[in-house]
Amino acid sequence: MKKLLFFLCCCICICAFVYMCYKSWLGIESKKYTLDLLVQILSTLGWGYITYGVVTREFAWAEKLCK
């Protein structure tokens, strides 16, 4: 059950990251550079770091789910 939960958590993190990348790309493509776009890009980078940590099990709670 824990491995299934970890798999679902990874899937949700990756899907959220892909969606955030898509929204950031649309903002860059529109060439309207605002503070909102900068915040969106920075949050996408932060979420990418979190997603990488979850998938590679760098966080303690992710490591516990894999056991």
Side-chain angles (χ1 to χ4, degrees), residues 3 26 28 32 35 44-45 53 64 66:
K3 291 196 183 237
L26 288 179
I28 292 170
K32 292 182 181 176
L35 183 60
T44 301
L45 292 174
K64 288 180 184 178
C66 293

Side-chain angles (χ1 to χ4, degrees), residues 23-57:
K23 293 293 280 185
S24 295
W25 178 256
L26 288 179
I28 292 170
E29 200 173 60
S30 71
K31 297 188 182 192
K32 292 182 181 176
Y33 302 111
T34 61
L35 183 60
D36 290 338
L37 178 60
L38 178 65
V39 170
Q40 176 71 31
I41 292 170
L42 289 176
S43 63
T44 301
L45 292 174
W47 190 257
Y49 174 74
I50 291 170
T51 301
Y52 177 78
V54 170
V55 171
T56 59
R57 301 179 199 121

